[in-house]
């Protein structure tokens, strides 16, 4: 299975913004809800946000509501995560994956992720 490719991470100061992108294969992306996950050092990977195939339904982890926005471009097999007003606790490696109908259980291969570091 072809792994997704995440990009757009970097170092940002608290209060700053980043936009992550994830390009996935058609098999992973097509007609599937897509999600973003993150894993901080020493912690389990956790759900961040998800979006339905058509884009009309989204779901967010409580800690990112009002700050992060997930979107997708189905013509480009790409899902985005706009992160605003970032906090040091957002520091993690961010991954995308297709998710089940519960909008939070991943079921495809993981990519390498993209590192996001938020300085205080």
């Amino acid at each position: 299975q072809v792994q997704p490719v995440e990009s757009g991470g970097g170092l940002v100061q608290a209060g700053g913004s980043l936009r992550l992108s994830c390009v996935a294969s058609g098999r992973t992306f097509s007609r599937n809800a897509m999600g973003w996950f993150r894993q901080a050092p020493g912690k389990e990977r956790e759900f961040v946000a998800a979006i339905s195939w058509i884009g009309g339904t989204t779901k967010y982890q409580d800690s990112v509501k009002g700050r992060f926005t997930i979107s997708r471009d189905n013509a480009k097999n790409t899902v985005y995560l706009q992160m605003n007003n970032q906090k040091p606790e957002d520091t993690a490696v961010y991954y995308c994956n297709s998710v089940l109908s519960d909008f939070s259980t991943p079921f495809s291969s993981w990519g390498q992720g993209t590192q996001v570091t938020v300085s205080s």
Side-chain angles (χ1 to χ4, degrees), residues 53-70:
W53 163 243
I54 300 301
T57 302
T58 56
K59 177 181 177 180
Y60 295 93
Q61 183 196 105
D62 286 346
S63 69
V64 307
K65 285 180 180 178
R67 301 189 298 119
F68 290 12
T69 302
I70 189 171

Side-chain angles (χ1 to χ4, degrees), residues 27-97:
R27 185 170 182 175
T28 297
F29 192 90
S30 183
R31 306 209 176 272
N32 289 322
M34 292 294 295
W36 282 97
F37 298 80
R38 65 187 181 186
Q39 186 168 20
K43 295 188 177 181
E44 296 289 319
R45 184 149 40 196
E46 64 177 2
F47 167 80
V48 176
I51 186 169
S52 61
W53 163 243
I54 300 301
T57 302
T58 56
K59 177 181 177 180
Y60 295 93
Q61 183 196 105
D62 286 346
S63 69
V64 307
K65 285 180 180 178
R67 301 189 298 119
F68 290 12
T69 302
I70 189 171
S71 61
R72 66 191 294 165
D73 184 338
N74 290 346
K76 297 180 179 180
N77 281 13
T78 302
V79 61
Y80 304 98
L81 186 67
Q82 178 67 44
M83 305 185 293
N84 297 329
N85 189 23
Q86 289 189 262
K87 303 177 180 181
E89 51 264 42
D90 294 326
T91 295
V93 178
Y94 284 70
Y95 304 86
C96 73
N97 206 323

